[in-house]
């Protein structure tokens, strides 16, 4: 069967990770500006002040995308570039930048996929409580409505939120990401509810303002891969994948973050432990949160191996073997995650799947011949895409795949230490060098995966 004829192949980035120009043309401060400038928070003291300087080099970057055969590009909008204070007066120069970027993409035959929130929350709203504030969904709806009115004549594909597990779990749960807070479940559960309300209100606004738009939502979570393909291990992996962890680790799961928007209800297992923390009257919000979506997006990099077990859970995680392969960022390489994740998600949510992030951090360098040879990334992508194609072969409704990332970029708390890009960036000179894996990926896109 293979991938459908209209399968969407592309590449992805995020605003704070590539744009730079942090203090130019009226852009407001984001929580990542504050966090990255706080000593000890980011490896090497790195900041996104300049990043890949995409704000100034976007024309060259779009031309490079075209040369690389990229026909679909997922990017995010920086909320404080549009609304420096998070609400109120709109920054015209910020709107102008995204206008120019979108027009440049379209002129080069590249379809824009706009992510509306990829972590750069306005500092001014953080000072007002950010997602903790019950009014935060209205702030987000207002910002999304501005984007819809301005860009909706040309952009028809939208993603509301990227990885809420991370921007809340790492930002508010353990403090490793901006804004660097360590809050208990009594705070993070209502925060998560406000985030999901924000998603619902954003979808509602987009539907009313952008006729014919296509909307998705991009959570994350490591799929559970059965140790063997026996019925018992498959059932155990499925159960483990959708389990809500104990209260102290509750943020890291699929079902709490996805059942509400996809099924209109929180999982009973989660409610039994976390329901006491939900705001009064939360039940009335479920129809708002449960908005029809055109696709369910998921970011997948690695997986956990699970087998059936004779214990209270009915499953156990299998430890990786000593020396099991890892990427440069120390994430395990588990290609079958891109088969079992989409399969289990499609079974549960019955909505077309798009993988909005998948890729590998490598120890890349420019060689003596002036090129970047990254056979390990090519092998990684080949293995993962073979697993993904298996899901397509077996009837999972797969609509697309976006490689992370188009450019090497600012990797959050890891600064510039990790290189995920198909294009090598020399941050001192901003010179771009297309890596070998990008040429391989171009062939994959051109053949719709038939060359795998």
């Amino acid at each position: 069967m293979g991938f459908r004829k209209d399968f969407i192949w592309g590449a992805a980035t995020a605003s704070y990770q590539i744009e730079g120009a942090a203090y130019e043309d009226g852009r407001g401060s984001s929580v990542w500006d504050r966090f990255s400038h706080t000593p000890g928070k980011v490896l090497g003291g790195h900041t996104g002040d300049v990043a890949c300087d995409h704000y100034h080099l976007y024309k060259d970057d779009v031309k490079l995308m075209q040369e690389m055969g990229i026909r679909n590009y997922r990017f995010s909008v920086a909320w404080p570039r549009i609304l420096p204070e998070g609400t109120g007066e709109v920054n015209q120069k910020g709107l102008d930048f995204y206008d120019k970027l979108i027009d440049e993409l379209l002129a080069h035959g590249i379809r824009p996929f706009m992510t509306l929130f990829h972590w750069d929350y306005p500092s001014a709203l953080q000072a007002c409580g950010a997602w903790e504030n019950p009014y935060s969904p209205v702030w987000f709806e207002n910002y999304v409505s501005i984007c819809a009115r301005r860009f909706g004549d040309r952009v028809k594909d939208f993603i509301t939120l990227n990885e809420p597990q991370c921007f809340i779990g790492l930002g508010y749960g353990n403090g490793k990401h901006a804004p660097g807070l360590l809050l208990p479940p009594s705070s993070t559960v209502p925060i998560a509810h406000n985030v999901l309300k924000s998603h619902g209100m954003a979808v509602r606004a987009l539907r009313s303002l952008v006729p014919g738009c296509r909307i998705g939502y991009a959570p994350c979570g490591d799929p559970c891969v059965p140790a063997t393909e026996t019925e018992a291990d498959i059932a155990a992996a499925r159960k483990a994948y959708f389990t809500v962890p104990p209260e102290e680790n509750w943020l890291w799961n699929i079902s709490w973050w996805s059942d509400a928007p996809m099924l209109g209800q929180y999982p009973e297992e989660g409610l039994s432990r976390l329901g006491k923390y939900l705001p009064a009257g939360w039940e009335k919000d479920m129809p708002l949160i449960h908005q029809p979506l055109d696709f369910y997006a998921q970011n997948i990099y690695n997986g956990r191996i699970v087998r059936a077990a004779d214990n209270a859970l009915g499953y156990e995680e299998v430890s990786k073997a000593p020396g099991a392969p890892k990427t440069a960022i120390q994430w395990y390489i588990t290609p079958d995650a891109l088969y079992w994740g989409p399969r289990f998600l499609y079974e549960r949510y019955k909505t077309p799947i798009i993988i909005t992030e998948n890729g590998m951090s490598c120890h890349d360098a420019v060689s003596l011949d002036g090129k970047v040879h990254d056979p390990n990334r090519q092998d990684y992508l080949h293995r993962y895409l073979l697993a993904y194609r298996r899901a397509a072969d077996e009837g999972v409704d797969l609509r697309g795949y976006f490689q992370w990332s188009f450019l090497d970029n600012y990797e959050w708390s890891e600064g510039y230490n990790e290189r995920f890009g198909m294009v090598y960036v020399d941050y001192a000179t901003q010179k771009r060098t297309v890596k070998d894996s990008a040429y391989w990926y171009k062939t994959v896109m051109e053949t719709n995966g038939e060359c795998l």
Side-chain angles (χ1 to χ4, degrees), residues 180-203:
L181 303 180
L182 292 87
L183 301 178
S186 57
S187 295
T188 55
V189 171
I191 285 174
H193 188 72
N194 286 337
V195 166
L196 292 173
K197 283 180 64 178
S198 299
H199 159 77
M201 292 173 75
V203 176

Side-chain angles (χ1 to χ4, degrees), residues 93-223:
K93 290 184 177 179
L95 292 174
D96 291 345
F97 168 69
Y98 293 108
D99 268 338
K100 291 183 290 186
L101 172 61
I102 292 163
D103 289 345
E104 197 73 14
L105 290 167
L106 293 172
H108 286 78
I110 300 170
R111 177 175 164 187
F113 283 71
M114 180 179 284
T115 302
L116 291 155
F117 181 72
H118 200 136
W119 304 6
D120 37 6
Y121 199 86
S123 296
L125 294 185
Q126 186 66 43
C128 298
W131 302 110
E132 292 182 81
N133 191 315
Y135 205 67
S136 58
V138 177
W139 296 335
F140 188 62
E141 180 186 34
N142 175 58
Y143 153 66
V144 170
S145 297
I146 291 168
C147 292
R149 291 189 181 98
R150 181 62 175 249
F151 311 125
D153 60 329
R154 288 153 292 155
V155 178
K156 300 298 180 182
D157 299 276
F158 296 90
I159 294 164
T160 56
L161 304 167
N162 184 78
E163 297 186 346
Q165 291 98 327
C166 287
F167 70 77
I168 300 302
L170 297 173
Y172 294 80
N174 62 24
K176 293 181 179 180
H177 279 189
L181 303 180
L182 292 87
L183 301 178
S186 57
S187 295
T188 55
V189 171
I191 285 174
H193 188 72
N194 286 337
V195 166
L196 292 173
K197 283 180 64 178
S198 299
H199 159 77
M201 292 173 75
V203 176
R204 188 177 62 183
L206 289 166
R207 295 281 185 217
S208 67
L209 295 170
V210 186
C213 65
R214 295 166 292 270
I215 307 173
Y217 163 64
C220 60
D222 298 342

Side-chain angles (χ1 to χ4, degrees), residues 264-335:
Q265 60 191 30
Y266 284 121
E268 287 299 325
E269 176 190 33
L271 280 175
S272 66
R273 295 195 295 268
L274 305 171
K276 59 188 175 184
Y277 300 130
L278 284 166
W282 64 268
E283 297 91 343
K284 297 177 182 177
D285 297 327
M286 301 315 286
L288 169 63
I289 293 170
H290 182 214
Q291 297 291 319
L293 295 178
D294 300 283
F295 59 92
Y296 176 83
Q298 190 78 2
N299 298 345
I300 295 176
Y301 291 90
N302 54 20
R304 299 179 289 139
I305 311 302
V306 171
R307 65 187 172 202
D310 186 18
N311 57 28
L313 294 173
Y315 63 84
E316 63 184 9
E317 188 167 344
V318 180
S319 298
K320 302 290 196 304
K326 295 180 180 178
T327 67
I329 202 172
Q330 298 299 298
W331 296 350
Y332 283 105
I333 298 174
T334 50

Side-chain angles (χ1 to χ4, degrees), residues 140-452:
F140 188 62
E141 180 186 34
N142 175 58
Y143 153 66
V144 170
S145 297
I146 291 168
C147 292
R149 291 189 181 98
R150 181 62 175 249
F151 311 125
D153 60 329
R154 288 153 292 155
V155 178
K156 300 298 180 182
D157 299 276
F158 296 90
I159 294 164
T160 56
L161 304 167
N162 184 78
E163 297 186 346
Q165 291 98 327
C166 287
F167 70 77
I168 300 302
L170 297 173
Y172 294 80
N174 62 24
K176 293 181 179 180
H177 279 189
L181 303 180
L182 292 87
L183 301 178
S186 57
S187 295
T188 55
V189 171
I191 285 174
H193 188 72
N194 286 337
V195 166
L196 292 173
K197 283 180 64 178
S198 299
H199 159 77
M201 292 173 75
V203 176
R204 188 177 62 183
L206 289 166
R207 295 281 185 217
S208 67
L209 295 170
V210 186
C213 65
R214 295 166 292 270
I215 307 173
Y217 163 64
C220 60
D222 298 342
C224 291
V225 175
T228 68
E229 294 199 11
T230 60
E231 287 188 17
D233 282 354
I234 291 172
R238 183 186 293 108
K239 182 179 180 182
Y241 193 28
F242 296 109
T243 290
V244 179
E247 189 170 306
E248 64 273 12
N249 199 36
W250 82 270
L251 285 156
W252 304 104
N253 73 89
I254 292 288
S255 54
W256 187 272
W257 293 101
S258 293
D259 280 13
M262 303 305 296
L263 303 178
Q265 60 191 30
Y266 284 121
E268 287 299 325
E269 176 190 33
L271 280 175
S272 66
R273 295 195 295 268
L274 305 171
K276 59 188 175 184
Y277 300 130
L278 284 166
W282 64 268
E283 297 91 343
K284 297 177 182 177
D285 297 327
M286 301 315 286
L288 169 63
I289 293 170
H290 182 214
Q291 297 291 319
L293 295 178
D294 300 283
F295 59 92
Y296 176 83
Q298 190 78 2
N299 298 345
I300 295 176
Y301 291 90
N302 54 20
R304 299 179 289 139
I305 311 302
V306 171
R307 65 187 172 202
D310 186 18
N311 57 28
L313 294 173
Y315 63 84
E316 63 184 9
E317 188 167 344
V318 180
S319 298
K320 302 290 196 304
K326 295 180 180 178
T327 67
I329 202 172
Q330 298 299 298
W331 296 350
Y332 283 105
I333 298 174
T334 50
D336 283 344
L338 221 57
Y339 166 73
W340 292 102
R343 172 177 159 173
F344 288 152
L345 292 167
Y346 188 62
E347 286 175 354
R348 189 176 184 93
Y349 300 126
K350 298 176 175 58
T351 301
I353 303 288
I354 295 180
I355 296 299
T356 37
E357 288 184 27
N358 171 248
M360 181 186 187
S361 173
C362 297
H363 295 298
D364 296 322
V366 178
S367 298
L368 285 171
D369 61 4
K371 299 178 181 179
V372 179
H373 305 295
D374 57 342
N376 44 353
R377 178 177 288 108
Q378 179 178 324
D379 184 75
Y380 173 102
L381 295 171
H382 198 162
R383 291 173 185 270
Y384 274 74
L385 286 171
L386 282 171
Y388 197 43
R389 191 175 71 180
R390 179 188 170 192
D393 288 340
E394 296 182 10
V396 178
D397 191 354
L398 306 181
R399 299 294 177 91
Y401 172 89
F402 287 83
Q403 187 181 340
W404 185 270
S405 167
F406 165 52
L407 299 169
D408 288 339
N409 54 48
Y410 182 83
E411 184 53 35
W412 308 112
S413 60
E414 297 298 318
Y416 297 102
N417 194 54
E418 305 297 334
R419 292 185 178 272
F420 278 88
M422 288 188 284
V423 176
Y424 184 94
V425 178
D426 181 332
Y427 297 110
T429 64
Q430 293 299 339
K431 181 181 178 181
R432 272 73 159 142
T433 303
V434 179
K435 302 176 187 179
D436 287 355
S437 63
Y439 296 110
W440 174 84
Y441 185 54
K442 182 179 182 182
T443 302
V444 173
M445 293 187 287
E446 288 173 344
T447 64
N448 199 31
E450 291 300 318
C451 66
L452 295 170

Side-chain angles (χ1 to χ4, degrees), residues 12-79:
T13 64
S15 50
Y16 189 74
Q17 293 181 271
I18 69 165
E19 285 182 1
Y23 307 102
E24 293 184 41
D25 291 342
R27 177 185 176 278
S29 170
S30 79
V31 294
W32 270 98
D33 295 306
R34 299 280 180 88
F35 189 79
S36 65
H37 280 270
T38 303
K41 295 299 184 181
V42 175
L43 188 68
H46 299 165
T47 75
D49 289 1
V50 177
C52 305
D53 201 23
H54 177 70
Y55 187 81
H56 297 111
L57 301 176
Y58 72 92
K59 287 187 177 182
D60 294 334
D61 287 339
V62 171
K63 184 182 179 190
L64 190 57
M65 283 183 218
Q66 183 188 49
E67 293 170 359
M68 292 166 61
I70 295 169
R71 294 293 173 263
N72 301 280
Y73 175 51
R74 178 192 172 210
F75 66 98
S76 75
V77 174
W79 187 344

